[in-house]
Structure formats: structure tokens, C-alpha cells
Amino acid sequence: MENKLYYSISEVSEMLNLPLPTLRYWEKQVAQLKPKTNAGRTRFYTDDDVEILKRIMFLREQNVPIKDWSKRLSVDERIIDKQKAVIDNLKQIREELVELRNMI
């Protein structure tokens, strides 16, 4: 995946091999998927939006019903937030250990 600030719906469609109507439909079904739009209603997807779409694709492959996608994604977000907090704490502990080791 290119590292761009925004992707068009066509780029995302090609990137994930998903039809444009599917992307538009999923936007209506999943609260977390809200690409930016301009006055002309052109969609602009971020890397985060693409990640959400990948997670939706995984849920679909696991035969999770569409009505449960938003709930499952919310649970995933809470887990990801907790994982990030743990990683941040571990980094801080590591820095403190390095400082202590340097003091010896």
C-alpha cells in the first residue's frame, strides 16, 4: 500500500479488490467507517479507513453477520487501545531500566 494521506474510492477498491458499490454499502452499515468527503461528495479514505475495511473483510470471511460488524469493530478498538497502552508502559519501563543500568 502506498503511503498517502488520502486515497480515492477507486484506489481503495483496486487496493482491496472490492467493488465500489460494496464500499458505499459498507459505509452505511458500519459506524466506524466514515471517509472524509468534500462539497462534491468525493470520498477520501485514510490509512485508518483502509484498516477498518480490512477488518470488515476478515469479519465477512468469518461469516459474522453485517449487523454485528460495528459492535465487533468497537470491541477490537478497545482491545487495540489497551494493547497500545501496554506497549507504551513497556517502553517507559525499558527506558527506566536503561537509565538504571547506566547508573551502575
Side-chain angles (χ1 to χ4, degrees):
M1 173 165 66
E2 263 181 72
N3 221 358
K4 295 171 56 172
L5 197 51
Y6 294 103
Y7 303 92
S8 71
I9 192 170
S10 298
E11 290 172 317
V12 173
S13 171
E14 185 176 319
M15 191 184 319
L16 300 177
N17 197 27
L18 290 169
L20 297 175
T22 298
L23 292 170
R24 291 184 191 106
Y25 177 73
W26 287 359
E27 283 176 34
K28 295 174 186 169
Q29 300 302 314
V30 178
Q32 293 87 343
L33 184 59
K34 297 292 177 212
K36 310 242 183 289
T37 56
N38 64 11
R41 296 182 62 190
T42 302
R43 290 167 174 82
F44 298 98
Y45 290 83
T46 63
D47 286 333
D48 290 340
D49 294 322
V50 174
E51 287 305 312
I52 289 170
L53 286 165
K54 288 178 182 178
R55 290 172 35 213
I56 291 170
M57 292 170 68
F58 176 77
L59 291 173
R60 186 177 67 166
E61 288 172 8
Q62 301 302 311
N63 297 315
V64 174
I66 291 174
K67 65 181 179 63
D68 295 338
W69 289 359
S70 286
K71 186 172 99 177
R72 293 286 282 279
L73 290 170
S74 292
V75 170
D76 288 350
E77 284 301 317
R78 288 193 300 266
I79 291 170
I80 289 169
D81 289 344
K82 286 180 183 179
Q83 288 173 338
K84 287 179 182 177
V86 168
I87 290 169
D88 289 342
N89 286 338
L90 289 172
K91 286 179 182 177
Q92 183 178 356
I93 291 168
R94 179 185 166 106
E95 289 172 8
E96 290 173 9
L97 287 172
V98 168
E99 286 178 33
L100 288 171
R101 186 181 70 196
N102 290 337
M103 293 171 73
I104 297 177

